[in-house]
């Protein structure tokens, strides 16, 4: 009881994950709203009616973060800022990438699930998650299925998600020692800017040879996409500048980007190739990579 009268117990008024799963399966045309950093703009800029809407921001289970057997599991409702804290010690390059997403307000509200489910070809987390070999947990009602995140993005605006199905979590393998992980976002401004191209690299080098390579890009195709021809040209070869320059021919097979107000197709191709060269130099020159910081630590 409060001074004003009866107050329901938190447990009796707060919806949980099962409630949401059942409700969404029953009303699959509802708009799921998480951090609303995308959906909010549909309303304020496009005057779109979003009712009925299901707000999932208060569902504790979607905020779960856990680690087991070398895999970091992040609930779909984990905000960028929360993910950054979890990733900082495990996959530092991912934490650094999150610093390049939006501004603080967007990072505090925007969620990983929203960034994946919106299916944008320039969403910043998807290429990184593809390069890391992450797995999505999708759920409809009580039924769950898992899929490699790279298979989720089918075509522009089309994802492998059924009506009433939602993203519950993403499982991210922590890269093995000896794997060089780098995520480089190219945009006109450092902060609050949309990606022109983003290269995500997980390249394992053992005994001077490339033993595995997963490379994915945003902004280079209608979906976030792996650079499979480039990867194939690297694996099994010595990690040398000559190998890297030869592998660059693969970009023409992997990508045919468009020109738009953010960058021309030619710029995107050149930047994408040079990001691979940058990764090579980062791993071999012994010099610290040049990064532009918004503010220096005190
Ligand atoms: C100023 C500004 C700057 C931004 N900068 C960047 C940037 O630098 N990089 C970047 O990648 N993005 C950026 N964004 C876009 C946005 O922040 C992200 O896409 C964000 O991750 C969306 O998450 P959200 O929780 O806000 O999603 P919402 O807006 O709530 O939802 C987005 C979409 O996903 C669906 N959805 C949400 N959660 C789920 C779920 N669990 N299962 C199924 N469907 C779901 C919604 O129905 C909707 O279709 C920016 C946005 C703004 C407004």
């Amino acid at each position: 009881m409060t001074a004003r009268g009866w107050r329901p117990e938190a447990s009796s008024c707060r919806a949980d994950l099962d409630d949401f799963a059942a409700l969404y399966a029953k009303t699959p045309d509802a708009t799921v709203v998480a951090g609303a950093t995308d959906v909010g703009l549909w309303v304020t800029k496009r005057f779109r009616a979003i009712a009925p809407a299901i707000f999932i921001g208060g569902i504790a289970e979607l905020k779960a973060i856990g680690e087991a057997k070398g895999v970091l599991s992040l609930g779909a409702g984990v905000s960028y800022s929360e993910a950054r804290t979890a990733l900082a010690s495990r996959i530092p390059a991912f934490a650094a990438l999150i610093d390049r997403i939006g501004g603080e307000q967007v990072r505090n509200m925007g969620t990983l699930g929203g960034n994946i489910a919106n299916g944008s070809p320039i969403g910043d987390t998807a290429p990184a998650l593809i390069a890391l070999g992450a797995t999505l947990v999708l759920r409809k009602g009580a039924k769950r299925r898992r899929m490699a995140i790279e298979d989720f993005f089918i075509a522009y605006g089309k994802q492998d998600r059924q009506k009433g199905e939602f993203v519950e979590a993403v499982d991210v393998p922590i890269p093995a020692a000896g794997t060089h992980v780098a995520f480089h976002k190219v945009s006109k401004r450092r902060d609050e800017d949309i990606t022109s191209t983003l290269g995500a690299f997980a390249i394992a080098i053992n005994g001077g040879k490339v033993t595995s390579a997963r490379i994915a890009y945003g902004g280079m195709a209608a979906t976030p996409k792996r650079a499979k021809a480039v990867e194939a040209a690297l694996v099994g070869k010595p990690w040398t500048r000559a190998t890297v320059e030869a592998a660059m021919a693969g970009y023409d097979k992997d990508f045919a980007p468009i020109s738009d107000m953010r960058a021309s197709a030619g710029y995107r191709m050149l930047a994408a190739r040079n990001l691979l060269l940058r990764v090579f130099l980062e791993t071999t020159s012994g010099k610290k990579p040049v990064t532009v910081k918004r503010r220096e630590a005190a």
Side-chain angles (χ1 to χ4, degrees):
M1 296 286 275
T2 67
R4 289 197 180 161
W6 180 81
R7 190 180 64 187
E9 290 300 313
S11 60
S12 67
C13 66
R14 190 175 281 266
D16 67 12
L17 186 59
D18 290 341
D19 294 330
F20 163 51
L23 179 65
Y24 192 36
K26 218 165 73 183
T27 47
D29 291 323
T31 308
V32 173
V33 182
T37 61
D38 285 327
V39 174
L41 303 189
W42 302 351
V43 177
T44 57
K45 297 219 157 171
R46 294 190 221 154
F47 307 113
R48 222 167 105 177
I50 61 161
I54 307 176
F55 176 61
I56 60 171
I59 298 178
E61 294 101 315
L62 290 178
K63 294 246 166 222
I65 297 177
E67 187 183 327
K69 295 184 183 159
V71 175
L72 198 58
S73 186
L74 301 163
V78 168
S79 71
Y80 293 122
S81 301
E82 290 159 344
R84 190 194 185 288
T85 306
L87 289 160
S89 64
R90 290 300 189 223
I91 314 175
F94 210 146
L97 172 64
I98 287 175
D99 288 339
R100 294 286 313 280
I101 294 179
E104 259 177 66
Q105 298 93 329
V106 167
R107 292 195 290 271
N108 288 341
M109 293 305 295
T111 63
L112 284 182
N115 199 237
I116 295 163
N118 74 13
S120 166
I122 45 169
D124 284 338
T125 62
L129 292 167
I130 292 172
L132 292 167
T135 302
L136 278 189
V137 182
L138 297 167
R139 178 166 170 185
K140 181 174 181 178
K143 231 172 147 183
R144 290 185 174 86
R145 63 186 178 122
R146 299 169 65 84
M147 77 167 70
I149 188 168
E150 65 189 280
D151 297 332
F152 182 66
F153 305 102
I154 297 171
Y156 184 77
K158 191 163 187 265
Q159 295 90 47
D160 186 354
R161 187 158 69 89
Q162 298 159 16
K163 276 186 149 253
E165 190 175 46
F166 62 95
V167 180
E168 184 174 290
V170 56
D171 288 345
V172 191
I174 297 164
T179 304
H180 184 73
V181 176
F183 307 131
H184 293 306
K185 169 171 171 170
V186 178
S187 57
K188 286 183 180 168
R189 296 186 305 261
R190 186 206 175 278
D191 293 299
E192 288 281 15
D193 207 359
I194 293 170
T195 286
S196 301
T197 183
L198 189 157
F201 305 83
I203 300 178
I205 300 153
N206 287 298
K209 270 195 177 173
V210 180
T211 50
S212 82
R214 290 183 64 95
I215 301 174
Y217 279 82
M220 295 292 288
T223 61
K225 187 171 174 265
R226 266 175 89 178
K228 288 197 175 170
V230 178
E231 292 174 359
L234 293 173
V235 175
K237 307 272 172 27
W239 182 235
T240 60
R241 187 167 180 141
T243 298
V244 165
E245 285 179 354
M248 283 179 176
Y251 283 93
D252 291 331
K253 294 183 194 144
D254 286 324
F255 300 113
I258 57 164
S259 294
D260 65 14
M261 67 205 180
R262 280 173 212 113
S264 66
Y267 177 91
R268 285 191 159 101
M269 277 303 252
L270 186 61
R273 286 163 179 257
N274 284 340
L275 289 180
L276 178 65
L277 182 59
R278 174 177 176 160
V279 170
F280 172 74
L281 294 173
E282 280 170 2
T283 56
T284 55
S285 71
K287 289 185 191 154
K288 269 191 143 192
V290 176
T291 53
V292 181
K293 291 203 174 77
R294 185 155 57 104
R295 56 167 187 262
E296 293 298 333

